[in-house]
Amino acid sequence: LTALLEQGIAACGLPPFPRWVLCGGALTDTDAPLGEVRSLLSRGVVPVLHGDAVFDEARGAAILSGDTLVEELCAALRPTRAVFLTGSRAC
């Protein structure tokens, strides 16, 4: 997020908790979090999302992976591209 902002790119972090909810490891109602993403995009802001621990209605908590998030976002928003970044540096 910081690197985008330093390059003059309007960006906003959207942590998955408490926006996204799972039930038995599967995403449940995604209307609200997808609405937030759409709202940012319509204003020219790049949403920055990542995988993390979220509430799971069946298990209490579970990991929502960045892969699952991008699959859901791509299915809903039909982008021309999606970008994965990592904070890891090669040794």
Side-chain angles (χ1 to χ4, degrees):
L1 179 60
T2 301
L4 293 171
L5 295 172
E6 287 174 348
Q7 294 302 310
I9 297 170
C12 180
L14 289 178
F17 181 83
R19 292 172 172 83
W20 299 86
V21 177
L22 301 174
C23 185
L27 282 167
T28 62
D29 182 16
T30 60
D31 290 343
L34 285 172
E36 289 181 340
V37 171
R38 284 187 177 103
S39 178
L40 287 172
L41 291 170
S42 72
R43 290 167 170 79
V45 177
V46 175
V48 177
L49 295 93
H50 57 85
D52 206 349
V54 298
F55 182 69
D56 186 300
E57 293 172 342
R59 301 175 182 164
I63 299 299
L64 173 57
S65 75
D67 292 350
T68 299
L69 276 173
V70 82
E71 286 177 13
E72 183 70 23
L73 291 166
C74 287
L77 304 174
R78 313 297 289 168
T80 56
R81 68 181 69 105
V83 178
F84 282 84
L85 302 174
T86 178
S88 300
R89 293 183 182 195
C91 297

